[in-house]
Every structure is written in structure tokens, then in C-alpha cells.
Amino acid sequence: MTRSPASGPEILTFGEAMALFIAETSGDLADVERFQRRIAGADTNVAIGLSRLGFNVGWLSRIGDDSFGTFIRRTLEAEGLDCRHLKVDPEHPTGLMFKERALGGADPRTEYFRRGSAASHLTTEDAGSVDFSALRHLHATGIPPAISASSRELFQHLLERARAAGASISFDPNLRPSLWESETVMRETLNDLASRADWVLPGLAEGRLLTGYETAYDIAGFYLDQGAKAVIIKLGPEGSYYRGTLGGQEEEASVPGFPVAEVIDTVGAGDAFAVGVVSALLDGRSPQEAARRGNLIGSLAVQVLGDMEGLPSRARLDALEAELTV
């Protein structure tokens, strides 16, 4: 059923968006004089990707009463996001992120200036105006519960309300160990939150750290035992792995990745994968087809500079998928 935008977004995402500055030249950030301004945030990457595919996506967060916050709002609204739940915090600043220009497909080094940011002061009150009856799906990552205790409470509140409203829930751990007080707290908190999701989307290394298991099969089994319906694990260039239960029967599959001639920027690849998986499942595709679409959009993301610049429109995605079926 298509809902009126007036009743609220059908998909809700939340977390922290930051102003991103990408070095124009390679080398140590201390030596770089010029940067390109973009926006960054795992949660907003997914929100933008789903919006480009035609979904009605809402963004819940806080920004500072500053030029960077204005820039973020304008960028998200230009991408079609519903920002009715994006509040201006006059007392705390918008977070910033700086990223080096890496060469040869290496993971770029990043530096964050987000401690005490507006988004770190998110609370359950920020969800007071959300119309959960209009909600079809909630996408969450492990970043909001890491940035502050009050944001962690908001995360739990949104999961509970979304579940009570009958919305589906996807969860990408998106580990940020430096934001947590300890690895133990990180592991226990994220595994508890993942147990409330329908679709869990860890990377293989993340799954190993969070569960203590080594193989994709056992990592998926851990989350299925906790209550997940499907676990789709990112395997990098090799593709992805799916394990879940459909129609009362358990299924599993390894889905190969798509070759890429040149990797330009790896940041955002996991978020692009989540866009592919979540969009496909919401489109009614099988988990294997969802994993394949995740691999496809992930391969697009690493071929361009920026966290979300490679995310396709629905028309481009349809064309690419049609080529693959020929």
C-alpha cells in the first residue's frame, strides 16, 4: 500500500550526518591544503540510496545551528529525504569529518570532530512526532548507540516502537570501536540490538568480532538463533553470503561479487550494499536476489570518490539489472 507523504515517511533512518572534507591530493592530511566538501554518515548514505530508488525516506537527527548544519539539510532535502524529524540544536555544533585521498584502492584514513556534536545529544524526545503507523521499515546501524547514552536510548525506543507497529527492521553493525567505552560493551549492546532486527547485515570481520565465530555460516547462525529472519554477510570483493528461513525452511547461498576495474574510494561500500539488500527485500525480491543487488550497488560505490556519489537512480539500477539477465 502506498502511503501519503503527509502521514510520515514509509522508511525511517536515524543517526549522525557530518560535513565531510575529502583531500584533493594524496598524502598525509597534515600536508593537504585543499579539500572538497561533501556530507558523510553511514545512516544518511543508506537513506540517500533508498530515496534515489524511489522510496519515501525520513531522516531523524540533530544538526547544529551553523553553516555545516544548513549545508547538510539542504543536501538531504535535495536528495528527496523527508527532514521533518531533523532538528536544529542551537547549543551544540554539527560534526565534521576529514578523509584522505587514498591510492590503489586502499582504505583512506579519516579524522573525526564529532565529540559533543548536536547528534550526540539525540534523545527519545526527538522521536516524539514520528508517526509509527505510517512506517513500513526502519533501518538502523551500530553508530547511534555508540555516540552517546541518550542516543542509545533513542535507538532502543525506535526499535521497540517500530516492532510494535509491525514495521520490518534492518540492522548493519557498522562498527566504530573508538566510540565505545569498551569492546565488551560494544559487543553486548550491538548483539542485543541485532536480536531485535529482521535482517542483520554484518561484514565478515564485524561478525567475527561480535560473535566469536569464524565462518559466515556460524556467524549467521548466531543471529538466527537470536531471532533474525535473515543474515546477509558482506565478504568484500568476493561478494556476500546469505542464510535465513523462508516458508519454514532454512536456506543459504554464497553470491559472487562483481569485478571492478579500478577501486577509487572504499568508504561507503558497506552502506551501498545495505541499500541494495534493503531495497530488494522491500521490492519483494528473494534474499539471494537481495544479496546480488547489494553486491552490485556496492561495486558501483567503490568506483567513484565520495561516500554516496555512486549510488544509482532507480532507472540506472533497472538498466543494470536488465543487462545482467540477458
Side-chain angles (χ1 to χ4, degrees):
M1 179 179 67
T2 301
R3 297 177 173 88
S4 167
S7 66
E10 64 173 348
I11 298 174
L12 184 65
T13 55
F14 64 101
E16 179 168 28
M18 294 169 286
L20 166 65
F21 295 86
I22 306 175
E24 289 193 348
T25 56
S26 61
D28 194 295
L29 283 174
D31 300 321
V32 175
E33 295 184 355
R34 296 181 182 277
F35 295 82
Q36 297 178 12
R37 187 182 65 169
R38 311 282 178 85
I39 70 167
D43 315 274
T44 46
N45 290 339
V46 176
I48 289 169
L50 293 173
S51 179
R52 288 183 183 178
L53 295 180
F55 293 98
N56 176 16
V57 185
W59 173 243
L60 188 156
S61 188
R62 290 190 188 188
I63 49 176
D65 186 13
D66 48 45
S67 58
F68 297 122
T70 300
F71 166 65
I72 287 172
R73 178 185 291 276
R74 288 175 178 172
T75 301
L76 296 180
E77 289 180 341
E79 289 286 353
L81 268 63
D82 184 326
C83 291
R84 72 181 72 187
H85 304 303
L86 176 58
K87 298 182 179 179
V88 174
D89 184 334
E91 298 181 0
H92 304 98
T94 303
L96 306 179
M97 174 182 174
F98 291 80
K99 183 169 67 173
E100 74 169 2
R101 178 71 64 91
L103 300 176
D107 291 337
R109 289 190 296 270
T110 57
E111 293 185 8
Y112 296 91
F113 296 85
R114 67 195 306 178
R115 187 179 301 276
S117 68
S120 72
H121 289 83
L122 282 163
T123 72
T124 55
E125 294 180 1
D126 291 298
S129 62
V130 174
D131 180 4
F132 288 94
S133 67
L135 195 63
R136 178 185 176 195
H137 184 77
L138 175 73
H139 178 73
T141 76
I143 299 175
I147 60 177
S148 68
S150 63
S151 182
R152 193 175 307 174
E153 292 175 359
L154 170 66
F155 189 114
Q156 295 168 336
H157 173 74
L158 289 172
L159 285 183
E160 291 169 359
R161 293 295 305 274
R163 173 64 67 219
S168 55
I169 301 170
S170 54
F171 177 67
D172 183 343
N174 231 307
L175 298 188
R176 298 292 189 274
S178 63
L179 296 178
W180 292 89
E181 51 264 53
S182 73
E183 184 178 301
T184 298
V185 172
M186 176 182 74
R187 184 167 52 247
E188 292 177 351
T189 302
L190 294 186
N191 284 338
D192 173 65
L193 296 172
S195 71
R196 310 184 205 184
D198 299 295
W199 314 325
V200 181
L201 314 174
L204 183 60
E206 291 176 326
R208 287 170 172 166
L209 179 59
L210 290 173
T211 70
Y213 292 108
E214 285 296 313
T215 68
Y217 178 88
D218 288 334
I219 292 168
F222 175 89
Y223 290 113
L224 292 173
D225 289 342
Q226 297 297 314
K229 295 179 181 178
V231 182
I232 303 178
I233 299 175
K234 299 172 284 242
L235 303 177
E238 287 73 35
S240 56
Y241 171 84
Y242 157 76
R243 184 179 171 195
T245 302
L246 285 175
Q249 293 188 331
E250 183 175 300
E251 298 180 358
E252 65 167 325
S254 293
V255 183
F258 292 87
V260 173
E262 181 181 9
V263 176
I264 302 298
D265 189 350
T266 59
V267 176
D271 307 325
F273 178 84
V275 170
V277 170
V278 172
S279 66
L281 292 174
L282 292 176
D283 284 345
R285 302 288 187 90
S286 71
Q288 289 90 339
E289 290 175 312
R292 186 170 182 247
R293 183 183 287 182
N295 294 345
L296 174 61
I297 298 183
S299 74
L300 299 177
V302 301
Q303 296 182 64
V304 299
L305 184 67
D307 292 10
M308 52 78 175
E309 279 69 14
L311 299 172
S313 65
R314 175 66 75 167
R316 186 182 181 208
L317 176 62
D318 288 346
L320 290 170
E321 290 188 324
E323 291 177 5
L324 295 173
T325 60
V326 175

